[in-house]
Amino acid sequence: MYDLLIGGGTIVDGSGLARYRADVAVKDGRIAAIGRLGGQAARREIDAEGHVVTPGFIDGHTHFDAQLFWDPLGASSCWQGVTSAVMGNCGFTLAPASKAQSPLVMRNLERAEDISGAAMAAGIEWGWSHFREYLDVVDALPKGINYASNIGHSALRTFVMGEAAFERESSEDELAAMEVELKDALAAGAFGLTTSRSGAHNTSDDRPVASRLASWDEVRRLVATMGQCSQGMFELALPNEARSRDPEERRGAYDVMLDLAVESGVPMTFGVLPTPDSREEECGLLDRAAERGAQMIGQSHSRGISFIQSFETRMPYDWHPQWQRVRSLPLGEQRNALQDPQVRESMIDAANNAVFPKATGADGYYKPNFDTWTVLQSPVPPNPSVAELAAQRGCDPIELLLDLAIETDMKQLYMQQALQWHQDDVLAVMRHPRCIMTFSDSGAHVTQIMDSSIQTHLLAHWVRDRQEFTLEEAVRMITLAPAVAWGLSDRGLLREGMVADINIIDPARIGPSMPVLLADLPTGARRFEQRADGILATIVGGEITIEAGKHSGALPGQLLRQAQPV
């Protein structure tokens, strides 16, 4: 007798091959049979008539390292059909670190990844020092989805160097100690090493995160250690030089990365920006690496990274003293103030004449472009820009923001591009054969970004609405492609013997729902949550976890450990 029988569905198996009708049987957590299985006995049956059966979606770039300690489900990824997530990217992990070092390690995450330090302190029961011990702790936690973990460079430096990790380069003895811990982490099942060289990544006390203090030679030594172990992928957040306006400076940064990939033999991955110059140069770098026998994988995004903003969270002008006078009030009093003509006039004038102190924004606040800053009326495009809607109403764009705040009880959401990109560039990066659509950042930036939905956005916007990809192509992009890249050899494909991580979806309805602001983190800290429509069921390890948008109570997720070289 089978444990589960999914009957009458259309199979899109993750390979990219054409769909076909068949039943899927599950036993002992794996796919037992695919074919005409009517009449076979099963403990539980799901009628998938009119639906498509796919592998569970796989996300290669997440930051669930802290969240999984207080959230067994894996929101919001679990609601989007994601069944496996690779965490510990950009150098940010909670291990290795002793309990005494935990404030230092959390300092790396708090600002750079927008994860509340108080929430982490309240929600994490520290029970490890070495990365191997951390994996054992994660293994024992109840989980709704599967997790694979990288070891983060910032944590590794902090573990070995303490406070000095935020102040200087490592000594030879310190670097040797890092190499020992890295080897042990890989032997314990870490999927790779990650780091950040990005000037955007700073600590909660306004210093560079620990990995940014490392010399490039330290990075080279650690990656070479991975090469010696014949194991793991190296992921990095690119240095500012790679996004410089000076083409020679950009080229120099790319050449250093290319040399490292070639000399180490270690697969390397990074996020590709969908701006015209960046995507051409960075996709070109992927091709140059392949020509020299190295493997580089670009991480693409189905939407283009954008910040979600609202009066409930943060607006671009909140740093301005005139806005601070209002924004410091309780939300209900803010709404009343926005209806005062004098207050409105002062806020409109302040915003329209604001001079942002830095090109990258005042304390992280980016100057909006009203032509690309969209009013989020629907979770899937098209949405009007602030400029378009203001023109329709015949008002100033800032006046529009105040009016919408009043009309929606301060809940109106906006999406502001992190950089000025175009949808054609987003599409071009997704189409590149050496890019994988997987750059969600789930678990981080929880009040700023809501990209856990990039998989369902792909299926709704680019497959159904724009018809730029077939369903078969898109499903492969978010199942088999990341499974192969990250070495998840028994997932990402519907075949007999594979782990039964499965989604049952309605292609005519699938897509993200509107984000909702919650205050349910430890200490009451806030986060956005986004669910999805059009997913009949999600199955993890043969057990139904999500059905008709509700959690079943099952928590069958596992810690995935990297297979050891033979």
Side-chain angles (χ1 to χ4, degrees):
M1 178 181 289
Y2 296 125
D3 297 325
L4 176 66
L5 183 63
I6 303 167
T10 297
I11 306 296
V12 175
D13 66 9
S15 68
L17 297 174
R19 68 194 74 183
Y20 60 95
R21 284 182 61 86
D23 307 321
V24 178
V26 174
K27 187 174 179 61
D28 297 329
R30 292 186 178 266
I31 298 172
I34 301 176
R36 296 183 179 181
L37 304 175
Q40 299 289 321
R43 292 184 176 85
R44 173 73 196 273
E45 295 186 17
I46 297 179
D47 181 4
E49 183 71 33
H51 289 75
V52 168
V53 183
T54 77
F57 305 150
I58 297 171
D59 193 335
H61 190 118
T62 76
H63 293 275
F64 280 112
D65 310 70
Q67 181 179 324
L68 63 83
F69 283 88
W70 58 76
D71 170 23
L73 291 184
S76 294
S77 292
C78 66
W79 306 115
Q80 306 296 327
V82 171
T83 56
S84 296
V86 181
M87 60 183 180
N89 287 282
C90 305
F92 303 127
T93 55
L94 297 175
S98 67
K99 186 172 183 179
Q101 292 174 314
S102 61
L104 297 180
V105 171
M106 289 189 288
R107 181 193 295 170
N108 285 311
L109 280 69
E110 187 174 9
R111 178 175 171 187
E113 296 302 325
D114 183 34
I115 303 173
S116 164
M120 286 189 283
I124 299 171
E125 185 176 348
W126 215 272
W128 61 87
S129 290
H130 295 280
F131 193 84
R132 175 183 292 274
E133 297 165 339
Y134 165 78
L135 289 183
D136 290 340
V137 171
V138 172
D139 203 359
L141 291 173
K143 297 174 286 293
I145 65 175
N146 307 305
Y147 295 99
S149 183
N150 298 300
I151 178 171
H153 188 192
S154 281
L156 181 59
R157 296 190 96 241
T158 305
F159 176 63
V160 171
M161 300 174 62
E163 186 72 42
F166 301 89
E167 299 169 351
R168 60 172 173 81
E169 296 180 1
S170 60
S171 68
E172 178 60 33
D173 287 345
E174 289 165 338
L175 181 49
M178 290 184 222
E179 291 175 315
V180 170
E181 178 66 18
L182 174 58
K183 287 179 181 178
D184 189 61
L186 294 171
F191 272 69
L193 171 72
T194 69
T195 193
S196 173
R197 313 292 289 177
S198 171
H201 287 158
N202 295 302
T203 66
S204 52
D205 57 351
D206 204 27
R207 293 191 290 174
V209 295
S211 65
R212 290 179 53 199
L213 275 295
S215 66
W216 186 249
D217 187 60
E218 177 180 312
V219 174
R220 289 178 63 248
R221 284 271 298 273
L222 293 173
V223 176
T225 298
M226 297 172 66
Q228 294 162 12
C229 297
S230 300
Q231 195 173 358
M233 181 184 288
F234 175 56
E235 183 269 341
L236 75 161
L238 297 186
N240 288 4
E241 292 81 2
R243 274 74 192 257
S244 168
R245 295 183 179 181
D246 182 345
E248 291 301 318
E249 192 172 20
R250 292 197 303 271
R251 182 77 177 200
Y254 297 143
D255 286 346
V256 167
M257 292 167 54
L258 178 57
D259 290 342
L260 177 57
V262 172
E263 71 187 26
S264 69
V266 173
M268 182 183 297
T269 184
F270 57 92
V272 176
L273 291 184
T275 58
D277 291 340
S278 289
R279 66 100 168 166
E280 288 187 9
E281 291 186 334
E282 291 172 12
C283 288
L285 174 61
L286 305 178
D287 294 333
R288 286 198 289 146
E291 291 169 1
R292 292 183 58 183
Q295 185 181 8
M296 278 191 179
I297 297 169
Q299 296 183 19
S300 64
H301 196 283
S302 67
R303 186 185 291 116
I305 297 172
S306 299
F307 300 111
I308 290 186
Q309 298 174 324
S310 76
F311 275 84
E312 282 192 309
T313 54
R314 187 162 82 161
M315 294 293 282
Y317 303 100
D318 287 350
W319 60 274
H320 196 287
Q322 198 65 40
W323 278 61
Q324 286 180 347
R325 293 188 183 95
V326 175
R327 300 288 281 136
S328 62
L329 300 171
L331 208 58
E333 294 181 28
Q334 289 184 43
R335 187 176 185 275
N336 293 335
L338 297 185
Q339 299 177 74
D340 183 309
Q342 290 185 329
V343 172
R344 288 171 63 87
E345 183 179 355
S346 67
M347 294 179 71
I348 293 169
D349 182 67
N352 283 330
N353 292 286
V355 178
F356 283 70
K358 297 186 295 183
T360 56
D363 194 25
Y365 295 91
Y366 292 78
K367 183 177 182 179
N369 179 336
F370 295 134
D371 291 324
T372 58
W373 193 24
T374 56
V375 181
L376 197 61
Q377 297 177 340
S378 166
V380 179
N383 281 299
S385 70
V386 170
E388 290 170 340
L389 198 55
Q392 290 175 18
R393 293 192 177 197
C395 66
D396 180 274
I398 306 300
E399 184 180 4
L400 173 72
L401 303 182
L402 306 186
D403 288 343
L404 290 177
I406 295 167
E407 294 167 14
T408 64
D409 196 25
M410 311 297 276
K411 295 184 182 299
Q412 178 62 58
L413 301 177
Y414 305 89
M415 293 193 76
Q416 180 183 354
Q417 292 183 359
L419 293 168
Q420 298 304 311
W421 42 259
H422 191 276
Q423 286 289 296
D424 289 344
D425 295 306
V426 173
L427 180 60
V429 176
M430 283 195 292
R431 286 196 184 283
H432 193 277
R434 295 188 174 89
C435 286
I436 294 177
M437 206 295 294
T438 191
F439 198 3
S440 78
D441 262 1
S442 292
H445 312 296
V446 293
T447 61
Q448 298 175 353
I449 293 174
M450 190 66 264
D451 287 343
S452 297
S453 60
I454 58 174
Q455 290 85 8
T456 55
H457 182 88
L458 170 70
L459 299 176
H461 181 63
W462 294 108
V463 175
R464 183 175 63 240
D465 296 346
R466 292 279 299 267
Q467 299 181 22
E468 296 287 353
F469 299 100
T470 66
L471 183 60
E472 288 85 348
E473 289 171 333
V475 167
R476 185 185 185 280
M477 290 164 62
I478 54 180
T479 58
L480 184 60
V484 170
W486 273 271
L488 302 176
S489 59
D490 56 358
R491 296 162 207 273
L493 196 62
L494 296 183
R495 291 285 192 277
E496 292 182 12
M498 302 290 278
V499 173
D501 292 347
I502 299 170
N503 283 318
I504 306 171
I505 67 172
D506 179 354
R509 295 181 56 243
I510 191 166
S513 56
M514 286 291 284
V516 177
L517 186 65
L518 304 177
D520 62 353
L521 298 186
T523 71
R526 298 180 301 173
R527 69 177 177 98
F528 278 115
E529 181 176 80
Q530 189 169 33
R531 301 201 177 192
D533 298 314
I535 300 180
L536 177 63
T538 295
I539 297 156
V540 176
E543 295 190 44
I544 300 169
T545 55
I546 307 294
E547 190 168 15
K550 295 181 180 180
H551 179 226
S552 68
L555 297 170
Q558 297 180 354
L559 171 71
L560 307 179
R561 296 180 190 257
Q562 176 83 308
Q564 299 301 301
V566 178

